[in-house]
Structures are given as structure tokens and as C-alpha cells.
Amino acid sequence: MTPFIPFQAEEGNIEYKLKLVNPTQYRFEHLATQLKWRLQEGRGEAVYQIGVEDNGLLVGLTEEDMTASLNTLRRMAEKVGADITLLREREVDYESDRARRKIAEVLVRKVPDDQQFLDLRVAVLGNVDSGKSTLLGVLTQGELDNGRGRARLNLFRHLHEIQTGRTSSISFEILGFNSKGEVVNYSESRTAEEICESSSKMITFIDLAGHYKYLKTTIFGLTSYCPDFAMLVVGANTGIAGTTREHLGLAMALKVPIFIVVSKVDLCGTVTVEKTVRQLEKVLKQPGCNKVPMLVASADDAVTAAQRFAQSASITPIFTLSSVSGENLDLLKVFFNILPPLSNSKEQEELMQQLTEFQVDEIYSVPDVGTVVGGTLYSSGVCREGDRLVVGPTDEGQFLRLKVCSMQRNRSACRVLRAGQAATLALGTFDRSLLRKGMVMVSPKMNPTICWRFEAAIVLLFHAKTFRCGFQVTVHVGNVRQTATVDGLLGKEELRTGERAVVCFRFLKHPEYLRVGAKLLFREGVTKGIGHVTHLLPSQNNDQNHKAHQNHN
């Protein structure tokens, strides 16, 4: 084992401590303050490496010193209202010293107060029949599958999904972990509210469709719900098939960190599973991907994978498991338990100082409540119960005033919504017919502008012929999904596969609210491209004529 690990970073939630044996009261207070700061950096989570010097030298401690150090850390955690979980112990072997010395890795997690649990969103991708919904059913319900898809029945939203066994819509499932790192799911809790109350960390799974005909729904889920991570599920019996490559490409294009789960290992022999893993490793190492595959075979591997995965975008953990026998399912739970957030508390605080911007993704009418919208508070601002916002743009390009009456997050009531969190907002008697997916609810102080035409720097990933002016594509930008016409290519007549350009797009149906720098994805049949918005162009006088022309058509 290498006697060194990387230097301790001043910022972040990882702390190295050589030993914590019988500190004085003054020293103990200082250590508790330091722990509080590390927890703040990790948004409620911190990792302590005991037996390690600040420069990363693995010194190790005797059994006696290690026990005393862990007891001190437990006291420190109690003082700041947190719990500790021993992740792993490793022996340090130095030839000069015969005494056995160990280093310990400890997770410190703060007990939730005022619903401030850590929430990570994981998009679930993969080909049809790869076992995505079944895996989520097993994780969130706490019962293994019977081999015929019983575990997934609770996840389906439509009758035809139950009949065909295929997901066609976006559904959300939650898996909680308490401050001691134990799983909290529906096996012991009757409602989502109970899970939220008992958890200090929440994994929200966004279950997406695998079939090619529902690809636009899958893209909408990836662009609109801003997942922190993506889980690509691959059937061990089928290998890389159908939409698997497409989904992998989408996640990489949108820069969503991805890890892979090879499911259904109970159906295959060891040789078939190894063949599928080798196939995945080959694809991940290709020049277009440039990923470093990491096969997870033990709890120790799962801890290492979670930490390295969050630190480096190139690391791609691979799990092999079964939803029927439960083989290696615990390794995935260990991974989720330790997986840290991508942003620290300082970045979160800065985002919260900005003005409110809520994306409208779903619209409902609820009896006795009125109009309800579901969506994500974009990575800026804070939304509170009773806030007065404006929603739009309407087909005429206007923004309408409204009031947030109440809010729910993970099906339990909440008073405050912070940047990056998903929730449903009740709008009372506001007319549902005035709303549509793709709208935004923003602070009136923002003075939001509308956009018919915009420029984007793009890469054409694939096109059968040449890409030129007048071509129509479906554009995805965040929660916006609309057909747009290519109005012009700056400095070029046409584009071919693999080429880059700045393109001017014009929306066909109605204006939209866009942000400069937002990621963009467009498609039409086999044509695909990615890029980002570079410039919003002012509305032209012929927009009204264009609208009338559309209505006439």
C-alpha cells in the first residue's frame, strides 16, 4: 500500500488527523469547531482520516490509540449534533515497526434539523428491459424481485406501463440514509414524509424511459431536472444494446457524471457477465469517452469509488448485481451512502443570494388545492411560501403575476426551497390553461426578457447529409423543448458531421425564456447536435406576422 495519499485540502469536507487522544478542553472545543466547518463544507457530511498526517503520510495508530481517537471523534460529533460511521480500517505495514498499526476512515453526518437533508438527484438510464425500474423498486421498497418484475409495479404511473412492463413517463423514487448510514425506505416507513423525517441524506431517482420512441421524454428528464449523477443500467444478458450507447452519449454531452450498473447477473454465467463488463470497459476507454472504468467488487472498492468518482469526472465505477438474488446490492447502497455532493456550502450560499428562478416541468389540478406546478428551482435563489413571482412567457410573450400558496418537497410540506432543489408549488386559483411546460417563475425584480431568436455554438454529432439554413430541429434547453428553424450559419454555407459552427435558431411556436451559457441539445430523426447558447437576439417586428402565419397553418 502506498505510504502517502494526496495532501489535505484547506477547503472541502475531508480532514486528516494523526490522533485524537485525550485532548484538553480548549483543544476539544477547537476540534469541534473544525468539525462543524468541515460539515458545512460538505453540506452535512464530512470524512475523517484517522492516523494520517496533514501532508498525507499514512502513519497509522495502535489499537489503543485508535479506540481513544474514535471515542474523541464520537464526542466531537455529539457536540455538533452529528453521528459517526466507521467506513473502513486498513493496516499500515512498515518493516521497521512490528506493532500492527491501522488507519481509519470515518463518515460524520449531521442529524437533520428543519428538513435540511442532503438531496442528490440520480437519473436512471439504460436500454428497454435492462431492469431499471425493477432495480429502483428493490432499492426503494426494500424487497427483492421475484424474477417477473413484481418490484417495479409500484413505480409505474400508467396502465399501459403495467401491461407492457415498459416505462414511458418520468417518475421519481426516493431512498434515504439516516445519520448513522442506515437505509431508510418503504420497508419500514409507510409514507414519503416518514422517510424524509428519518433521513439526513436523500437520493432522488429520476426513472427515465429506455425505449427509443420515448427518447424525447428521456432527453427532457436529463436537461430539465438537472441530475447530479446518472446511473446507466445494462443487462448482463444483453450487453450494450439498443439505446445504451445513445443514453451514454447524452449523459456525456450534458456533462453529467455517470456510473454503470450491470444488472440481471443471476440469469447469466460468470463468463457472460465478464464479457459484458469487458465490452463496457472497451467503450468507456474509446477516444470519444476517455473514461477510466473501475470495477467495484467489495465494500472497500465502493468507498474508494464514491470518493474518486466525486473528485474526478473520468472515473466510472461499474457494479455487477442482481435484483432477484440481491447479489452485490449492498455495495451499491454503500456507494450511495458515501457519495458526496458536487457543490460545497460556500457555492450553495452564493447561489442563494441570487434572484429566484423556478422551472415549470409539470402542471396539475388538485382538488381543494387548485393549480399545482412541479419543477426545479434553477441553480440560483431561494423560494419561500407566500412569495409573489411572475410566470411566463405566454404565447404573446408576457409574464403574469402569481403567489406561491404552499410548497411540498418529496411529498412533505416545506417552507423554504433552496437553489437546485425540486418541489411542487401550489398556486391557488391561478388559471391552469395559462401555464405550459417550459415556462419559468421568476422574481419580478429580474425583469425577465423573452427570446424568439438566439445564437448557439454547436457541434454537429451526426447528420445524414448536410446541415444548412431552413432545416428544422427539436431544441432542448433546460426545461424548454420546442421546434426551431435554422436561420443562419455564421461564416459557413453548410455543416457536416463532426463540424463546429455558431448557428442562429428561431423558435416556431412561441417565445421562450433562455439564459446565455445554457447547455443545448437538438435532434431531428438521426440528426443530433450539442452546444451552448451564446447570444439572445432582439425580437424582430415580423414576430407577430410569423405568429399569425403559424396560427393559419
Side-chain angles (χ1 to χ4, degrees):
M1 188 172 68
T2 317
F4 277 94
I5 56 176
F7 261 58
Q8 176 181 290
E10 287 297 317
E11 294 182 344
N13 70 334
I14 298 175
E15 178 71 33
Y16 297 169
K17 281 281 174 265
L18 181 57
K19 58 182 174 182
L20 299 166
V21 180
N22 298 328
T24 62
Q25 188 59 35
Y26 175 77
R27 170 79 175 143
F28 181 79
E29 294 295 334
H30 172 73
L31 288 169
T33 306
Q34 192 179 44
L35 171 59
K36 203 170 185 177
W37 187 77
R38 288 292 184 190
L39 283 168
Q40 208 173 345
E41 281 288 286
R43 288 164 59 191
E45 285 186 353
V47 174
Y48 268 62
Q49 303 270 12
I50 310 288
V52 182
E53 288 192 353
D54 287 352
N55 63 359
L57 177 66
L58 304 177
V59 177
L61 295 178
T62 60
E63 194 76 43
E64 191 181 338
D65 282 354
M66 181 59 77
T67 305
S69 296
L70 289 175
N71 284 336
T72 304
L73 184 58
R74 192 172 284 108
R75 279 171 50 218
M76 286 159 54
E78 283 171 7
K79 184 168 178 64
V80 299
D83 280 321
I84 71 167
T85 310
L86 182 63
L87 296 179
R88 55 182 172 178
E89 281 189 316
R90 291 179 287 173
E91 281 196 16
V92 184
D93 187 26
Y94 289 115
E95 291 175 7
S96 59
D97 188 4
R98 290 184 181 178
R100 288 174 63 190
R101 290 175 171 269
K102 288 182 178 179
I103 60 166
E105 201 165 324
V106 184
L107 176 71
V108 186
R109 183 173 287 156
K110 197 160 177 1
V111 179
D113 54 308
D114 191 30
Q115 299 179 318
Q116 285 315 298
F117 52 77
L118 177 61
D119 192 5
L120 300 181
R121 285 193 297 279
V122 177
V124 185
L125 301 168
N127 188 37
V128 64
D129 300 332
S130 61
K132 298 183 295 299
S133 299
T134 301
L135 174 60
L136 293 193
V138 170
L139 286 171
T140 59
Q141 306 295 325
E143 285 183 21
L144 293 174
D145 189 51
N146 64 348
R148 295 189 297 278
R150 182 181 62 192
R152 69 188 177 195
L153 292 177
N154 292 319
L155 277 67
F156 290 148
R157 295 173 65 180
H158 304 290
L159 179 62
H160 69 84
E161 291 181 329
I162 294 170
Q163 289 167 343
T164 62
R166 290 177 177 175
T167 304
S168 65
S169 59
I170 299 170
S171 65
F172 295 86
E173 294 303 320
I174 54 174
L175 173 68
F177 291 93
N178 64 20
S179 53
K180 294 175 183 172
E182 296 161 344
V183 171
V184 183
N185 58 19
Y186 286 109
S187 63
E188 292 176 2
S189 308
R190 286 192 301 278
T191 63
E193 198 167 355
E194 283 181 26
I195 294 176
C196 293
E197 283 172 5
S198 310
S199 303
S200 50
K201 180 177 190 174
M202 191 76 74
I203 308 289
T204 302
F205 294 106
I206 306 164
D207 190 17
L208 301 173
H211 202 283
Y212 194 85
K213 71 177 179 181
Y214 305 123
L215 185 64
K216 69 173 186 178
T217 305
T218 301
I219 295 174
F220 181 79
L222 274 174
T223 57
S224 179
Y225 292 109
C226 317
D228 298 298
F229 306 101
M231 176 168 77
L232 181 70
V233 183
V234 179
N237 53 342
T238 55
I240 298 174
T243 53
T244 306
R245 284 176 194 270
E246 186 114 21
H247 286 185
L248 176 64
L250 285 171
M252 289 181 61
L254 294 165
K255 293 185 170 58
V256 180
I258 193 162
F259 62 95
I260 296 172
V261 170
V262 177
S263 64
K264 302 187 180 183
V265 297
D266 55 293
L267 292 180
C268 321
T270 313
V271 176
T272 313
V273 175
E274 286 174 357
K275 184 182 173 186
T276 302
V277 171
R278 280 199 304 273
Q279 194 183 11
L280 282 164
E281 287 175 341
K282 188 180 175 184
V283 169
L284 291 169
K285 288 175 182 175
Q286 284 175 352
C289 287
N290 292 325
K291 297 283 187 185
V292 181
M294 180 181 175
L295 187 63
V296 178
S298 66
D300 201 54
D301 288 350
V303 174
T304 308
Q307 292 170 351
R308 291 180 63 189
F309 180 55
Q311 290 163 1
S312 169
S314 61
I315 300 290
T316 305
I318 300 175
F319 296 83
T320 56
L321 53 80
S322 165
S323 299
V324 175
S325 68
E327 184 185 338
N328 290 344
L329 211 56
D330 286 346
L331 302 186
L332 190 59
K333 289 175 186 173
V334 167
F335 178 78
F336 283 134
N337 181 32
I338 298 160
L339 196 59
L342 292 174
S343 62
N344 61 31
S345 60
K346 190 179 175 184
E347 291 167 0
Q348 199 75 1
E349 287 293 326
E350 286 172 5
L351 291 171
M352 283 163 60
Q353 303 305 316
Q354 298 173 23
L355 293 171
T356 305
E357 189 178 323
F358 182 87
Q359 298 182 161
V360 177
D361 300 328
E362 304 265 359
I363 303 156
Y364 319 95
S365 288
V366 180
D368 302 327
V369 177
T371 303
V372 174
V373 293
T376 309
L377 187 62
Y378 198 75
S379 51
S380 65
V382 173
C383 183
R384 292 182 174 84
E385 208 175 272
D387 277 3
R388 295 187 180 275
L389 306 172
V390 292
V391 64
T394 62
D395 289 0
E396 293 75 35
Q398 296 175 328
F399 279 80
L400 309 169
R401 292 180 176 277
L402 54 77
K403 181 185 174 184
V404 178
C405 300
S406 63
M407 299 190 291
Q408 281 199 347
R409 186 170 161 229
N410 281 327
R411 299 166 204 163
S412 58
C414 71
R415 295 272 175 102
V416 182
L417 193 62
R418 289 170 171 79
Q421 294 178 347
T424 51
L425 277 54
L427 308 179
T429 55
F430 192 85
D431 188 355
R432 177 186 171 170
S433 64
L434 298 173
L435 297 169
R436 61 174 170 79
K437 285 185 185 181
M439 281 184 164
V440 287
M441 288 162 50
V442 297
S443 167
K445 294 177 188 173
M446 195 179 274
N447 194 17
T449 54
I450 64 159
C451 161
W452 274 103
R453 297 167 66 244
F454 66 96
E455 287 178 359
I458 66 151
V459 182
L460 193 62
L461 298 177
F462 183 79
H463 188 53
K465 298 174 186 174
T466 54
F467 186 81
R468 58 180 75 213
C469 283
F471 195 73
Q472 287 189 359
V473 292
T474 302
V475 172
H476 295 261
V477 186
N479 65 335
V480 169
R481 178 175 69 194
Q482 197 188 142
T483 306
T485 303
V486 176
D487 260 10
L489 297 154
L490 273 65
K492 293 190 178 184
E493 288 292 314
E494 56 187 33
L495 272 184
R496 294 183 183 277
T497 300
E499 292 184 340
R500 296 171 180 267
V502 175
V503 177
C504 175
F505 290 100
R506 174 168 47 83
F507 287 123
L508 281 183
K509 293 179 184 173
H510 38 70
E512 299 285 7
Y513 171 87
L514 297 182
R515 293 164 64 108
V516 171
K519 291 173 194 165
L520 169 140
L521 199 143
F522 63 88
R523 60 180 183 86
E524 181 54 50
V526 292
T527 302
K528 290 181 194 70
I530 58 167
H532 64 276
V533 177
T534 54
H535 187 52
L536 306 181
L537 300 172
S539 290
Q540 295 179 324
N541 293 330
N542 67 351
D543 277 343
Q544 292 302 320
N545 300 339
H546 167 72
K547 187 77 184 132
H549 174 67
Q550 281 297 309
N551 290 341
H552 175 70
N553 285 345

